[in-house]
Amino acid sequence: MRAYYFDNLPGDQRLPHDFNPSRPVDPDTLQSIKVESWYIPVEGHEDKLDGVAKERDYRNRDVIEISKNGLGDIYEEKLKGFYKEHIHEDEEIRYILQGGGFFDVRQAPSDQWIRLAVSAGDLLVIPAGIYHRFTVDERNLTRTVRLFKDEPKWSAIYRGTESESNPHRIEYIKSISVAA
């Protein structure tokens, strides 16, 4: 996984949107906002992924493929929904099996976007309460394992009054020692 500051320029969300020269984000910065990642080779990943699931108390998983072929006519609509800034009440844990994309996370308190470029073998944990969004890259394909504590679900709370007063957002801000 490669992390860098998003350039905020208009254009296709599937492009890298990297500054020139790039403005990389170091692991300490990611740790300060509670974003975790590591690499597990796809070949033979099952045991290591099972270990992560057990350690973090995840009981369920599914595999989602985001592609033009897989989603057909609703592909562009789904991409727009994933790319709308939101939070979740559970941490989001994703393991990339094929293809790739970008998770953008908001750095608090600066509110800058950090872009996380992920590809096959990358495992990413995004904490509950952090603003984020997702898009595929120019390959228009990602096949991803999603881990869940309970039944598989994807419930987004889009940025606004409701998200700012959400207890998971408030707890996240406290956990990174940023005044609300």
Side-chain angles (χ1 to χ4, degrees), residues 7-180:
D7 66 11
N8 287 313
L9 295 176
D12 189 336
Q13 67 197 36
R14 295 168 262 215
L15 296 174
H17 283 278
D18 197 358
F19 283 95
N20 187 10
S22 184
R23 294 177 47 208
V25 173
D26 62 71
D28 289 341
T29 299
L30 293 178
Q31 184 178 18
S32 75
I33 60 171
K34 302 207 179 290
V35 171
E36 300 176 67
S37 70
W38 53 98
Y39 180 80
I40 300 171
V42 173
E43 188 172 325
H45 72 276
E46 294 86 359
D47 287 344
K48 288 185 181 178
L49 195 57
D50 288 347
V52 170
K54 184 176 180 180
E55 176 184 315
R56 298 180 90 90
D57 198 27
Y58 280 85
R59 295 178 194 93
N60 289 299
R61 67 184 73 181
D62 68 8
V63 175
I64 184 172
E65 182 174 315
I66 302 169
S67 68
K68 287 180 180 180
N69 289 339
L71 294 174
D73 293 342
I74 63 168
Y75 176 72
E76 293 296 332
E77 179 185 331
K78 283 289 191 188
L79 276 187
K80 286 178 186 173
F82 293 146
Y83 200 64
K84 190 173 177 185
E85 185 174 4
H86 62 277
I87 64 170
H88 298 292
E89 293 185 338
D90 297 313
E91 72 181 9
E92 185 168 330
I93 184 165
R94 303 294 186 255
Y95 176 69
I96 311 300
L97 291 168
Q98 182 182 8
F102 302 106
F103 284 90
D104 297 334
V105 295
R106 285 277 190 194
Q107 182 181 16
S110 70
D111 220 27
Q112 293 182 83
W113 282 116
I114 295 173
R115 179 151 270 199
L116 309 168
V118 295
S119 58
D122 287 332
L123 181 91
L124 182 64
V125 179
I126 297 175
I130 190 173
Y131 285 116
H132 67 284
R133 61 190 183 188
F134 172 78
T135 188
V136 294
D137 59 22
E138 293 175 280
R139 293 174 279 188
N140 287 306
L141 165 71
T142 184
R143 192 162 172 265
T144 304
V145 176
R146 303 184 302 175
L147 299 173
F148 302 95
K149 294 220 182 246
D150 295 308
E151 290 302 312
K153 67 176 181 172
W154 188 86
S155 299
I157 302 167
Y158 296 105
R159 189 167 188 170
T161 306
E162 180 185 355
S163 65
E164 285 297 318
S165 62
N166 182 284
H168 297 275
R169 174 67 181 167
I170 293 167
E171 183 58 35
Y172 170 72
I173 293 298
K174 286 180 186 173
S175 77
I176 61 169
S177 301
V178 174

